[in-house]
Amino acid sequence: MNLREKYFTEENCKRLFYAFAGLFLIIMLVSSSQFGICWDELQMSDYGIKVLKFYTSFGKDSSYNTADGVMHFYGPFFDLLGAVVNHGYKGDTYERRHFFIAFFGFLGILFAGLTARDLANWKVALLSELFVFLTPVYFGHSMFNSKDIPFAGAYIAAIYFMLRFARQFPKVSWQTITGVIVFTGMAIAIRIGGLLLFMYFVFFLGVKLFRMGKEPVMDLLKNRKAIFQLFFALIGAYCFALIFWPYALTSPVKHPLESLTAFSKYALDSGSLFNGGRPHYWELPWNYLPTWIYVTTPLFICGGVLLSPIILYKWKAFNEVVQGDFFLVLLFTSVFPVFYIVYKESNVYDGWRHVLFIYPSLAVCCALIWYGVFSVLRKTRAYLNYIAVPLLALFMLEPAIYMAKYPKMETFYFSPVIGGVKGAWKKFDIDYYGTSLRYAVEWIGANADSLEKGPGGKIRIRCFYGERISVEHAIEKDPRLVYVFANESSLDWDYSIIQPVQAKHDTALLTNWPPKGLIHQIEVDGTPIVAIARNYNKDTKKEVDKFSINDNKDANALVGMSVKYYQVGDFFNCIAACEKALLISPANVAALNNAASAFNNLYMFDEALDYANRCLKLNPNFDMAKGNIVGATERKKQSANINKEGVSNNYLNASLIYFNLKEYEKFIEFNEKALSYFPNNPVAYTNIGAGYNSSGNYEKAIVVLTRALKLNPNFQKAQENLNFARQHSEQGH
């Protein structure tokens, strides 16, 4: 008796199966609280709360059905469950949701193994269980993905009970019927794609009827109990789905069909990175899904696919150890959705998460193939098993090492076929769901004592890309940190969290990685997943504070400093530096363009257009100036919504630039524009009077300064300028 026969008996494998199942359940439930929040969670959580209101109000509250959204097309079973268990809960509601997502992920592992047991034996059940658990992407998504993982768990559980139904038919146990009803209905109540299960049910029954032969089938048609059980299971599953889906409940035929149509035509252009390019959704190549599956699943899946010709060639021998006909139907459940999506050119994005539901059945099929190959080799070329078995062990060890080495990073796994995560860099979006934002916040918190602080002693954190909840939820747990809305160019933040995935909005990001001001980046296999950068504008601010515009006579230095003024949001000094540079070098196109950009930011669109056009006259190919013209033109069309008092103050402040440069006509012009936005401003009239005084036009100065004092009799500056104008007017006469 060899080791395999001695230790890997059916009974021992069964014990191992359930022992591993218990271990995996504990690992997954404990790990679930350590993962970050993904983009969709706030929306899905809110949806569940609104659905709960529908039921608690007995249908009166229909706020779940928003005309401008698509959420009501989703089955809300899991989100409703989340709303129920979180109702009145004072702790972290997202972590509690993650706990239940992990449980559904475990269901996918458990029922994958049980399905393999029904098609072969406990040895394959154990192998299938290990295959699914040791798939890092599946494990990672099981920690937070409330859209795709609950559906995957319900999907394979429904397939398991359908398979049992077909094998037991016509004498089906009520436990099996209940399983079909609950899990098929649950799948539909999570995603409308669960309707596919009815087709699979027919296929499984078709295999059984084919096995039975013609005469027993004819007798079966007379078996009222069997027919009743069949229709009871089908109708019961659909009714179960309706109970937990308000939108479908209000119109059981029309609304589910409407949901099917809505998702088949859903057109989100995500701009995801794929094979180094960013195709639009209408440009996706046919191999988008197959490629993503290929590069993010472990080698034992690829190996199973590559070995499939052997079991086809030795089908008879394979059929002796595996129920081949049911295997083919199971294989169909794992490949048909992908083929259908490719055929229909449906919109998919962010990897293959939309079809994660096929993975447990795909893993079972690959496990069955490996087992079938081992069995065939044992009978023909037994010595080859000494190569095949260790090879499979190595294939399983590789993702296990990754998961142990990079906990909380399982979602970012890429297969050795592409060179791992390092090979995927700049070819695929690694963290498209933004869960690593939490880890960046935790790093800042762990190093808070040595980091720079903002006003009030708190570290101000900004994050440009993704849903705010993903980063803010982690920040709220640390009282030393605060989330801020701030432009990158401002001084109103201390540290910025930057992901490579945001290169979809800034194509230069990956080319110029690492980002400016980098102090730390979280890496997997030496590859950056998320970066933390300090506010480098603070250094620029120190530099510009030391710079004197009035004392500088180097046009290039002035233009260079105008850029730095712009970077720290000091648009007035940016304009001042540009104007001083233009006095020295009137044809300086960079100075004209930079001034145009600053005017645009101050909502002074006429000036922005004037300076940009002057720039283009000198250099018709200056693209940045063209961009300034487009920006000014578009924003000027919306000028009715602009804060006019704010724009008036901008003209007042900008006018001082020209007073210092002794360009009094422009100084007066800017103050007159300030009055056009906000009339009866005594400051503007006083400035105009000062401009006339400086240019020797005392009579006009007296007129406008008198008006300023009528508006504000106590305005000392206006009185001083009026006295000056009268004195010099009398001296002139």
Side-chain angles (χ1 to χ4, degrees), residues 339-399:
F339 278 106
Y340 185 75
I341 288 171
V342 171
Y343 170 73
K344 293 290 291 184
E345 297 182 346
S346 300
N347 183 25
V348 286
Y349 47 91
D350 294 342
W352 59 289
R353 65 179 185 81
H354 296 97
V355 293
L356 272 173
F357 66 92
I358 71 166
Y359 188 72
S361 55
L362 176 64
V364 173
C365 288
C366 288
L368 290 166
I369 291 171
W370 277 101
Y371 180 74
V373 169
F374 293 156
S375 299
V376 169
L377 292 178
R378 192 164 54 246
K379 292 180 179 180
T380 57
R381 295 176 176 83
Y383 65 91
L384 289 178
N385 268 340
Y386 290 106
I387 299 174
V389 173
L391 184 64
L392 176 59
L394 286 174
F395 286 172
M396 297 172 69
L397 185 62
E398 183 269 329

Side-chain angles (χ1 to χ4, degrees), residues 227-272:
I227 299 301
F228 170 78
Q229 287 182 326
L230 173 59
F231 280 97
F232 182 79
L234 291 170
I235 295 171
Y238 194 71
C239 290
F240 184 96
L242 295 178
I243 291 171
F244 294 98
W245 186 4
Y247 190 64
L249 186 63
T250 56
S251 183
V253 177
K254 179 183 176 182
H255 286 172
L257 291 176
E258 186 181 337
S259 299
L260 265 177
T261 303
F263 284 119
S264 65
K265 295 181 178 179
Y266 190 56
L268 174 66
D269 195 16
S270 74
S272 297

Side-chain angles (χ1 to χ4, degrees), residues 140-158:
H141 277 269
S142 294
M143 301 297 105
F144 61 83
N145 186 341
S146 64
K147 281 185 177 181
D148 305 301
I149 290 299
F151 183 53
Y155 185 85
I156 187 62

Side-chain angles (χ1 to χ4, degrees), residues 438-457:
R438 170 179 175 173
Y439 314 145
V441 172
E442 289 173 344
W443 185 90
I444 293 173
N447 295 274
D449 292 342
S450 61
L451 297 179
E452 300 174 33
K453 313 293 191 299

